[in-house]
Amino acid sequence: MEERAESPPNKRAKAASVEPTTDGRARSLWFNPPTAEGDRRLPLTRERVVAQALTVIAEEGVAALTMRTLAARLGVVPGALYRHVRNKEQLQDLVLDGVLAEVDCNLDSSLPWTQQLTVLAHRLRQVLEAHPGIAGLLQLRDPLGPNSLAVAEAFLEPLQAAGFGERQAGLAFFLVIDYTTGFAASSPPISTNEQRVRDQATRTRLHDFFRSLPADRFPALVVLGPHVWVDNRDERFTAGLETLIDGLQRTRRTPHRPTRKGQPATTRTTRPREDAQKAADR
């Protein structure tokens, strides 16, 4: 008892603090008071701001992303954010550009242009759906960051190499982009419909419901309903993309040839006799 009383309190505390636990770790990791070094906050950087903004969009949606909300999450005053981004619009563009950096734009140029577009569209959709809310934001913004431009270049290059005219290439580009982003935004995996058709029991009840409808009022739904509400999200995207690209292939114009003044001119695809016959038939 006397030896215990003579032990300095600070030595006893120190001994207790380093006492090993059953899992081999020192107790000092558990209950030593935090040091000033441990309390120091991470510096606010543009990367942290953008990363937190992406988290807000994923958890609460695009509408929830405000400078005030973002500042609260980062533990700073709203004014501190403006040292790293000019405004919310630039923040959104930075978020989009960061996400689009994940799209693999490396393609085998020996592949047909149709296959190159197909591969890119699938990659873009995969990245967008990995970040909930981003597809909807991409429909509102038109980012021109380095990664956004790289994605655009990757889509446009096969169209240009395939001989699309300038205007036709621009239309084809946006048709593919709009279809891909629209698909990712309008029918996300977390939507009610997707959750309903993914669950087999729920899907079975839904199909039984369609078959029970009055055939005189809903003849198509009675027969086709069970074939419409199915778990075929990937198949729907692929089918739509194939139809779109097939249409582009059918309407593709022949390559342009330069004139003497250097201005592009569309190569003729019909002979004079054929032109005359068409005129006579009108």
Side-chain angles (χ1 to χ4, degrees), residues 213-229:
L213 292 172
D216 57 334
R217 292 184 58 191
F218 306 103
L221 276 173
V222 169
V223 177
L224 300 178
H227 300 279
V228 174
W229 278 265

Side-chain angles (χ1 to χ4, degrees), residues 131-244:
H131 298 280
I134 291 299
L137 180 58
L138 187 57
Q139 291 180 319
L140 302 175
R141 302 293 302 166
D142 186 20
L144 297 176
N147 299 308
S148 307
L149 294 178
V151 172
E153 178 71 15
F155 274 100
L156 286 170
E157 189 173 0
L159 293 169
Q160 186 180 47
F164 278 81
E166 295 171 359
R167 180 174 177 274
Q168 286 69 37
L171 289 173
F173 167 77
F174 270 112
L175 282 172
V176 177
I177 292 294
D178 288 347
Y179 170 73
T180 305
T181 56
F183 187 94
S186 63
S187 185
I190 60 174
S191 68
T192 301
N193 180 63
E194 292 296 331
Q195 294 298 319
R196 179 187 290 141
V197 298
R198 282 185 175 185
D199 181 73
Q200 184 175 355
T202 304
R203 189 170 63 247
T204 299
R205 291 195 299 270
L206 183 63
H207 293 176
D208 291 340
F209 165 73
F210 287 125
R211 294 188 184 97
S212 68
L213 292 172
D216 57 334
R217 292 184 58 191
F218 306 103
L221 276 173
V222 169
V223 177
L224 300 178
H227 300 279
V228 174
W229 278 265
V230 291
D231 186 15
N232 63 348
R233 179 174 173 77
D234 292 337
E235 185 180 353
R236 295 200 314 269
F237 179 77
T238 300
L241 184 62
E242 288 177 350
T243 301
L244 175 59

